Every structure is written in structure tokens, then in C-alpha cells.
């Protein structure tokens, strides 16, 4: 898992960190039960304060994506790892509905782009 942070971004570093981990989980790069680096290790490798990393990990915990275990660190939850599967199911449902309505793939893509913005 590669984490890139932009110190010049308006988004706080802890939120960028959480977003990077969230994305890795969604892409399947991190599986349920997999341990994240310790806050101390990650802070050192990214040049961050350990409290910044802990804040990011706590955000992920609050979202149900990781479980924080004393002495074991942050571990990806089963619910967190299932996020991409749920998204794929939702996309399949949207595709089926678009076909039922007679929308082309381009029309569906344009609709998604408008809604995502």
C-alpha cells in the first residue's frame, strides 16, 4: 500500500491518510484481518506526527473500516473489506436499471459523472 500525502492541500493530513487507506481497502489492496502499519512506523515513514496518524486511524475506526486493538494496532474489518463488493453490486443494479430504461453506457456514464461532481 502506497500512501501519498500533499502537505499543500487544504485537506488535513489525517484525512488524506484515512482516504488513502480507505481507497486501498476499496480496491482490495488490504483484506479483512490485515494489519496496518503501527502509528509510530507510519508516522516515521511519512514524516508525520504520530498523533496525526492516530487521528486518521480513529477516523477509519469510526467509519467501521478498521478495528483498533491495543497491542495489535489497526486491523481491517470484515465490513470494511466488503465495501468494494457492495459497490460492485450497486453498480450492477444501476446498469440493469439503465438498460431497463433504455439508456446507453455513455448516457449512464454521463449521469454518474454529473452526480459524482
Amino acid at each position: 500500500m502506497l500512501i501519498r500525502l500533499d502537505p499543500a492541500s487544504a485537506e488535513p493530513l489525517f484525512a488524506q491518510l484515512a482516504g488513502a487507506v480507505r481507497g486501498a481497502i476499496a480496491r482490495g489492496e488490504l483484506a479483512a484481518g490485515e494489519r496496518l502499519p503501527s502509528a509510530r512506523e507510519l508516522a516515521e515513514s511519512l514524516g508525520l506526527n504520530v498523533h496525526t496518524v492516530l487521528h486518521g486511524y480513529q477516523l477509519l475506526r469510526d467509519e467501521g473500516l478498521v478495528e483498533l486493538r491495543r497491542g495489535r494496532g489497526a486491523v481491517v474489518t470484515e465490513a470494511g473489506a466488503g465495501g468494494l463488493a457492495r459497490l460492485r453490486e450497486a453498480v450492477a443494479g444501476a446498469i440493469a436499471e439503465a438498460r431497463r430504461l433504455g439508456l446507453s453506457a455513455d448516457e449512464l456514464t454521463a449521469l454518474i459523472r454529473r452526480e459524482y461532481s
Side-chain angles (χ1 to χ4, degrees):
M1 172 182 70
L2 179 64
I3 296 177
R4 292 180 191 230
L5 304 178
D6 179 7
S9 172
E11 184 178 24
L13 292 171
F14 76 88
Q16 290 182 50
L17 171 66
V21 174
R22 194 180 299 114
I25 293 170
R27 290 186 299 275
E29 294 169 13
L30 292 170
E34 196 166 339
R35 290 179 57 189
L36 300 178
S38 75
R40 196 166 270 130
E41 290 171 353
L42 192 55
E44 191 173 300
S45 71
L46 295 173
L48 298 175
N49 183 298
V50 71
H51 295 289
T52 301
V53 174
L54 287 171
H55 194 170
Y57 279 5
Q58 288 165 350
L59 183 61
L60 294 166
R61 178 203 58 204
D62 294 346
E63 294 172 0
L65 299 177
V66 300
E67 183 178 294
L68 297 179
R69 299 177 182 168
R70 182 160 271 204
R72 288 199 54 212
V75 178
V76 177
T77 64
E78 193 70 41
L84 186 57
R86 287 190 303 276
L87 180 59
R88 283 190 175 130
E89 287 177 24
V91 168
I95 291 169
E97 184 64 14
R99 284 182 177 146
R100 191 183 72 71
L101 295 171
L103 295 177
S104 71
D106 289 339
E107 290 170 319
L108 176 60
T109 302
L111 176 63
I112 290 170
R113 287 184 197 278
R114 278 195 307 272
E115 293 296 322
Y116 195 77
S117 299

